[in-house]
Amino acid sequence: MFDRRQFIMGAGGLAAALAGSKLAGRRAWAQSVMLPFANGERPLVRYPQKRPLIKLTERPPQLETPFTVFDEGAITPNDAFFVRYHLADIPREIDPNVFRLEIDGKVKKPLTLSLKDLKAMPATEIVAVNQCSGNSRAFFEPRVGGGQLGNGAMGNARWKGVSLKAVLDRAGVQAGARQVVLQGLDQPVVAATPDFVKALDVDHARDGEVMLAWAMNGADLPWLNGYPLRVVVPGYYGTYWMKHVNQITVIDAELDNFWMKTAYRIPDNECACVPAGSKPDKTVPIARLDVRSFITNLPDGAAIKAGATLVRGIAFDGGHGIKDVALSSDGGKTWSATQLGKELGKYSFRTWQTTIKLPAGAHALMVRATSRSGEVQPMEPRWNPAGYMRNVVETVHVEAA
Amino acid sequence: MKRLLALATIVTLAVALGMTAATPARPATYTLPAEAATLKQTRDQGYAKTEALCTTCHSRDYISTQPPRKGKEFWAAEVNKMVTLYGAPIPEPYRSVIVEYLASAY
């Protein structure tokens, strides 16, 4: 058993700083955390419908989940779920009776659907991880600009809604359709800023799994997670999971806008990576999640009691499902199997646990997941200029005494 | 007729109170906490310009949470990105002092 006080004050855990920060010229935060990278101090702030979360930015709001939440269970509670926006003109007033979803473009019958209309269609549920493309960006070395996230821009929820396929079938997709364009209620502050609009290839949009969700873990979507309706794209990075979705347009071309053609692009190779500090020759749009795993019950730097030690955590990938999660306590020389928990779905967090004997001394615990498609986490971190898709084998240092 | 009127009154009242079989009343507004992020106040000419021009579109913590000590080239690229890709309303004469402030303060 580890020292709980050490757990709370540990570098990777939750540290409540006293009011009156030591940093010169900075406003004191009543409560803050120290994320384990340079310039990693963040205030903890309560937003309506949310427990205190790690505040990255306030306008628009971007909030990270404190990492200890991921040890509470496979499902991330709604009040702890991370928040990401691009544009500061986020919706502030929505009448759910007046809200409409427009389906237009290359369809036989354009539709205007109310929430009531959508909820009258056959509902479907899926448990799926939503992860920000730039989750863990602040761990990149050399550092890259952008949202300086720790590992908290991810979450797993049971999403309920209607399949996008059912809605598109009702409208009748015309022959020659190539993509489905997704738009939400949020807007840029200045007209010159490209509106946040994304597209999915039409076959993907109609695969029966992509969903328009109105509920998350049995309740309405929290406001900041896209109330009253959002797109759910199981297995894909969060950039496609359009929040407050109110406009879907079928087009017979590829969407040519900033957010598809310039932003959210990864190197076009096996590892989606380039040598640190360099630029890729060719890029493709970011797509499916890569395999990841984490230890959730021991923070980096934890002081523990020598002997039998419970180690547990989560693993996930882009939708093949987890085949195994292995643990090493000797720097990756040898690996032992862990026991996988119940599978809530191939797109869900998969819990895992094991008990290992740790003699007194310092140990580096490493966890490595392999997916059912054979994808395995790399031992060395991969680098790309935008700071996307980090999935290196994670290491937690503990001191046993 | 009287019963119909009574029923109509009840239904109207129920609708007004949101108690119908249609989508029930939900919180229709969201209030964000007050902004609290600050920028390092220095004597640089660029400090005032950054305050005035960069907070149009986003809060100050977009700046203050960037990786530390990245230098002039990094911040010049960031300001350039804001102007060319995001349409930030930063007049050309002010861009270099803003970059100098950001590079020295952050």
Side-chain angles (χ1 to χ4, degrees):
Chain A
M1 240 345 251
F2 58 87
D3 180 337
R4 188 154 181 81
R5 195 153 133 279
Q6 197 73 17
F7 177 88
I8 290 164
M9 294 302 285
L14 211 66
L18 297 167
S21 164
K22 297 188 197 83
L23 295 155
R26 183 197 294 282
R27 201 138 144 197
W29 292 321
Q31 263 218 305
S32 71
V33 296
M34 190 66 75
L35 296 177
F37 43 77
N39 198 23
E41 197 184 358
R42 301 278 185 269
L44 273 175
V45 184
R46 271 208 80 224
Y47 277 66
Q49 300 180 320
K50 296 290 189 184
R51 68 176 73 176
L53 296 179
I54 297 165
K55 185 175 77 168
L56 175 65
T57 65
E58 54 199 8
R59 179 168 51 92
Q62 295 186 96
L63 308 170
E64 252 197 86
T65 303
F67 199 77
T68 52
V69 168
F70 301 118
D71 196 51
E72 290 178 15
I75 294 291
T76 312
N78 289 6
D79 73 340
F81 215 93
F82 81 97
V83 174
R84 199 274 195 263
Y85 281 100
H86 276 290
L87 308 172
D89 190 5
I90 68 171
R92 305 295 190 88
E93 194 174 296
I94 298 170
D95 184 343
N97 293 315
V98 170
F99 176 86
R100 294 293 183 270
L101 172 68
E102 306 281 345
I103 318 285
D104 60 15
K106 301 291 176 186
V107 294
K108 298 188 181 84
K109 191 177 65 176
L111 301 173
T112 300
L113 300 170
S114 65
L115 289 172
K116 188 158 172 266
D117 294 331
L118 291 163
K119 289 176 184 179
M121 298 179 75
T124 179
E125 276 197 345
I126 198 164
V127 183
V129 171
N130 182 2
Q131 183 182 214
C132 185
S133 302
N135 190 27
S136 319
R137 174 181 289 113
F139 295 109
F140 271 60
E141 282 296 340
R143 296 281 294 267
V144 302
Q148 298 303 311
L149 295 164
N151 293 325
M154 61 181 185
N156 189 40
R158 184 164 42 89
W159 310 94
K160 182 176 177 178
V162 60
S163 71
L164 180 53
K165 173 176 163 51
V167 172
L168 290 172
D169 285 352
R170 178 178 281 195
V173 171
Q174 288 176 1
R178 290 210 23 215
Q179 287 195 329
V180 176
V181 178
L182 312 164
Q183 285 191 66
L185 291 171
D186 44 336
Q187 300 284 322
V189 173
V190 299
T193 306
D195 191 16
F196 183 61
V197 178
K198 296 292 287 186
L200 295 171
D201 289 341
V202 65
D203 289 345
H204 183 194
R206 292 187 66 252
D207 72 0
E209 287 182 330
V210 176
M211 180 197 300
L212 301 173
W214 54 73
M216 187 174 156
N217 295 329
D220 281 356
L221 298 172
W223 193 281
L224 297 177
N225 295 117
Y227 177 83
L229 195 72
R230 80 170 307 162
V231 179
V232 168
V233 190
Y236 269 52
Y237 283 96
T239 183
Y240 299 99
W241 295 48
M242 191 59 63
K243 299 196 294 186
H244 317 285
V245 62
N246 72 325
Q247 174 97 38
I248 296 176
T249 306
V250 180
I251 59 174
D252 58 4
E254 269 189 12
L255 180 61
D256 184 8
N257 74 351
F258 167 77
W259 294 107
M260 292 295 293
K261 292 296 180 181
T262 307
Y264 288 108
R265 311 277 303 188
I266 55 174
D268 184 16
N269 54 30
E270 180 81 32
C271 64
C273 69
V274 291
S278 68
K279 281 186 165 65
D281 296 322
K282 197 164 168 283
T283 62
V284 290
I286 199 167
R288 216 168 264 283
L289 305 184
D290 50 18
V291 64
R292 300 195 78 176
S293 61
F294 293 91
I295 294 168
T296 58
N297 70 323
L298 300 168
D300 198 38
I304 61 170
K305 195 156 176 281
T309 306
L310 171 69
V311 188
R312 67 175 182 227
I314 54 171
F316 60 98
D317 83 321
H320 294 101
I322 296 300
K323 175 162 162 282
D324 67 70
V325 176
L327 191 73
S328 173
S329 57
D330 60 8
K333 290 193 216 66
T334 62
W335 298 85
S336 60
T338 68
Q339 297 84 55
L340 295 176
K342 185 179 170 178
E343 186 169 24
L344 302 179
K346 54 188 179 170
Y347 296 108
S348 167
F349 281 161
R350 189 83 185 270
T351 56
W352 59 267
Q353 69 170 49
T354 190
T355 303
I356 53 169
K357 271 203 175 68
L358 291 175
H363 305 277
L365 304 176
M366 307 174 86
V367 59
R368 184 188 69 194
T370 303
S371 81
R372 291 204 186 98
S373 70
E375 187 193 357
V376 64
Q377 290 179 261
M379 291 297 289
E380 294 300 321
R382 295 168 177 165
W383 197 94
N384 50 57
Y388 292 146
M389 296 181 73
R390 184 171 173 92
N391 76 327
V392 66
V393 164
E394 303 286 338
T395 305
V396 168
H397 300 91
V398 297
E399 185 75 37
Chain B
M1 188 59 196
K2 223 192 222 168
R3 212 188 303 167
L4 203 64
L5 193 64
L7 187 63
T9 310
I10 290 166
V11 169
T12 309
L13 203 64
V15 169
L17 292 171
M19 290 165 5
T20 60
T23 312
R26 289 273 186 271
T29 60
Y30 194 83
T31 308
L32 291 167
E35 281 186 48
T38 57
L39 289 176
K40 287 176 193 165
Q41 191 170 348
T42 71
R43 288 203 184 88
D44 296 73
Q45 192 190 343
Y47 164 66
K49 288 283 172 268
T50 304
E51 279 281 357
L53 298 169
C54 303
T55 60
T56 306
C57 298
H58 61 75
S59 49
R60 294 159 180 82
D61 38 28
Y62 270 83
I63 295 166
S64 61
T65 55
Q66 290 306 307
R69 315 251 59 83
K70 288 293 274 185
K72 218 163 163 187
E73 210 180 294
F74 170 86
W75 285 109
E78 287 298 313
V79 172
N80 184 58
K81 184 171 85 174
M82 295 300 127
V83 172
T84 56
L85 297 181
Y86 296 123
I90 305 175
E92 207 278 325
Y94 300 138
R95 289 174 206 164
S96 59
V97 289
I98 287 172
V99 169
E100 274 178 37
Y101 161 72
L102 293 172
S104 88
Y106 292 97

